[in-house]
């Protein structure tokens, strides 16, 4: 009977330990898979702290270094000009920062378009950003500039009147 209790106790402890290990492995795999959609270093650092013996440790460390380097580049790009932002976007088109980078470029191009009084800036903006944040406003401004640049003769012809220069 004592032998039976000893075997049963050992099996129980062994079963619990096996269940615990399986649970830990599932948690590690789930967390590792979740990292694929994340770009904040804190999640990668936490994974490494929680699973120091993970089979994915080297891969996670490499991704963490890549993210930190990209964030440093993003910080520099934000301090730069349009060309710097465009270079970042070209290098990291799938970056977490790509949408914000595109918005900043759009805004810079819009400001340049507004500074151009000839209307060519608006055309250039619409070429670069046909679906941009300011595309509707640019189209309205283009229309307003086109109607404002109509000569007096053209206006009178449109209205059906004649215009005579005295």
């Amino acid at each position: 009977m004592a032998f039976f209790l000893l075997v049963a106790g050992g099996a129980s402890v062994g079963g619990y330990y096996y269940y615990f290990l399986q649970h830990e492995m599932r948690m590690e795999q789930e967390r590792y898979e979740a990292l694929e959609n994340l770009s904040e270093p804190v999640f990668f650092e936490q994974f490494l702290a929680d699973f120091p013996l993970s089979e994915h440790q080297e891969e996670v460390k490499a991704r963490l270094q890549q993210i930190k380097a990209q964030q440093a580049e993003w910080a520099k790009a934000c301090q730069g000009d349009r060309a710097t932002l465009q270079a970042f976007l070209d290098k990291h088109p799938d970056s977490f920062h790509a949408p914000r980078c595109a918005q900043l470029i759009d805004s810079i191009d819009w400001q340049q378009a507004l500074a151009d009084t000839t209307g060519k800036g608006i055309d250039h903006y619409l070429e670069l950003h046909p679906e941009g944040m300011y595309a509707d406003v640019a189209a309205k401004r283009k229309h307003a500039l086109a109607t404002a640049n109509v000569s007096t003769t053209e206006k009178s012809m449109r209205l059906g009147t004649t215009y005579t220069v005295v």
Side-chain angles (χ1 to χ4, degrees), residues 13 15 26 28 41 46 57 72 82 102 113 120-121 127 154 166:
V13 170
R26 275 192 307 272
E28 176 186 338
Q46 189 63 51
Q57 189 176 33
R82 186 197 189 287
K120 291 180 182 177
E127 285 175 28
E154 291 175 275
V166 182

Side-chain angles (χ1 to χ4, degrees), residues 12-162:
S12 295
V13 170
Y16 176 76
Y17 184 69
Y18 176 77
Y19 171 78
F20 178 76
L21 286 177
Q22 292 299 314
H23 177 70
E24 284 292 310
M25 288 172 59
R26 275 192 307 272
M27 282 188 56
E28 176 186 338
Q29 189 61 33
E30 287 173 8
R31 293 262 306 277
Y32 172 72
E33 289 171 4
L35 290 177
E36 186 174 322
N37 299 318
L38 300 173
S39 60
E40 289 296 321
V42 67
F43 296 111
F44 290 81
E45 292 165 346
Q46 189 63 51
F47 178 89
L48 293 170
D50 292 346
F51 305 104
L53 303 175
S54 172
E55 66 184 72
H56 305 291
Q57 189 176 33
E58 293 305 315
E59 191 177 336
V60 171
K61 283 181 181 179
R63 178 82 169 109
L64 176 61
Q65 292 306 318
Q66 180 186 23
I67 288 171
K68 285 183 175 182
Q70 191 178 91
Q71 285 189 335
E73 287 180 50
W74 172 243
K76 287 181 183 177
C78 287
Q79 301 301 315
D81 58 1
R82 186 197 189 287
T84 308
L85 288 166
Q86 188 64 54
F88 178 88
L89 189 58
D90 292 343
K91 185 175 179 181
H92 305 289
D94 298 324
S95 166
F96 171 77
H97 301 291
R100 180 69 181 130
C101 188
Q103 287 176 339
L104 290 171
I105 291 169
D106 187 313
S107 292
I108 290 169
D109 290 344
W110 177 242
Q111 292 303 314
Q112 289 175 344
L114 291 175
D116 183 345
T117 58
T118 67
K120 291 180 182 177
I122 299 292
D123 290 335
H124 184 67
Y125 172 82
L126 288 170
E127 285 175 28
L128 293 174
H129 308 281
E131 303 291 325
M133 293 186 302
Y134 306 98
D136 291 341
V137 177
K140 289 175 185 172
R141 182 170 279 231
K142 182 177 177 178
H143 177 71
L145 285 171
T147 56
N149 290 334
V150 174
S151 70
T152 309
T153 306
E154 291 175 275
K155 285 181 187 176
S156 65
M157 289 175 58
R158 209 185 318 166
L159 295 174
T161 61
T162 57

